[in-house]
Amino acid sequence: MSTCTTLSRELTEPLAATAATATTWLLLEQAGPWGAKALTESHLDQELGRALDSAAAGTGVRVALIRRPGRHADLEPDAEHEVIVAHTRPGASWIRRLRTADPARLLELDLAALGAGRHDGLGTEHRGDPIALVCTNGRRDRCCAVLGRPLAAELAAAGHTEVWEVTHLGGHRFSPTMLVLPYGYAYGRLSGAAAKEVLTATADGRTVPEWSRGRSCWDRPGQAAEQAVRESTGEGDAEALTLEQRPDGHGGWTVEVAHRDGRRWRVSVAAGVSEPPRPESCGKAPGLPSRMDVVAITAI
């Protein structure tokens, strides 16, 4: 059976610079089934879902629903909901957790402050293992269910206690996809062994460029530049690199990447498309997915 994932892999579409963009993730536990637009197509109140989505717009916060791996019968929702809030900028990443019986209270949060990295003592600090978010929303794309749900179940069975299914990470054609907190790196085309390697590396403060789609706090040109520097230097420390991105005046971007040891690089990035046409999601008409191409890297 041909799927968007199969075609993307066969056409060797690059993973780099395809991560969803968010400085801060607001994750709300919601058991039961999810529709394609999960915030308004689940057991969560539809008006609340719309309000959260609207409130987050322009703040740098991305709202998603999560649930534990396993069967998801259409039962009454749980009395309490786990809430995870994670900021992902280098050198300033954090995870806060709380539980609530009333998800509408999330509308009281200062989302602009959370997007900027200020939690103001919200909830309690997460000090446990890295949090793995595996996209499994089959109503959005069948690849996420067919490939994502077995991966989430395998990780949970292997003893990883902080594994969650998540509604949408973008890039269905790179399934199974996983976002790992606190650093916010997204990964794609993962096997069980690769996902376990990623979680082990994250616990040790490292990232794994081989399967990386990018760090979600950066826009896509920045994701491409960071990946290129990591590949050229072999740098795996998750917090070693920061960057500044600006338009180059010719339709592309100049990204200055800085290492905390003082090294710097200037990276030229141009927008392109992946050819030949292919569906970006199962059931969609073939198109030309956008991509970020690194034109040059110069040490400065």
Side-chain angles (χ1 to χ4, degrees), residues 212-294:
S212 178
R213 298 177 58 201
R215 190 165 187 169
S216 62
C217 64
W218 306 128
D219 291 335
R220 291 185 63 193
Q223 293 175 16
E226 185 200 28
Q227 176 79 359
V229 170
R230 289 192 180 278
E231 290 179 350
S232 66
T233 63
E235 180 59 70
D237 188 317
E239 295 283 70
L241 302 178
T242 56
L243 59 85
E244 294 182 1
Q245 169 188 318
R246 63 180 183 274
D248 65 6
H250 304 285
W253 298 265
T254 298
V255 185
E256 292 194 3
V257 181
H259 196 290
R260 61 184 172 197
D261 66 9
R263 289 178 291 166
R264 298 178 68 86
W265 299 265
R266 182 176 294 116
V267 184
S268 298
V269 181
V273 295
S274 291
E275 297 186 11
R278 82 289 309 271
E280 295 186 50
S281 184
C282 290
K284 287 190 175 181
L288 298 173
S290 63
R291 57 186 284 172
M292 294 290 143
D293 295 319
V294 172

Side-chain angles (χ1 to χ4, degrees), residues 15 40 72 87 96 98 132 159 219 261:
L15 285 171
T40 56
H72 304 293
H87 185 68
R96 310 292 293 189
L98 62 144
D219 291 335
D261 66 9

Side-chain angles (χ1 to χ4, degrees), residues 143-216:
C143 289
C144 297
V146 171
L147 300 174
R149 292 193 66 189
L151 177 64
E154 179 177 346
L155 294 176
H160 292 281
T161 59
E162 291 295 346
V163 178
W164 298 83
E165 297 185 0
V166 68
T167 48
H168 183 48
L169 296 177
H172 317 293
R173 62 194 183 279
F174 305 118
S175 295
T177 62
M178 180 172 75
L179 182 84
V180 186
L181 303 171
Y183 306 122
Y185 282 96
Y187 298 91
R189 298 187 184 133
L190 291 171
S191 65
K196 292 168 189 174
E197 180 181 340
V198 166
L199 293 180
T200 298
T202 304
D204 195 35
R206 296 179 293 112
T207 183
V208 184
E210 182 177 358
W211 298 291
S212 178
R213 298 177 58 201
R215 190 165 187 169
S216 62

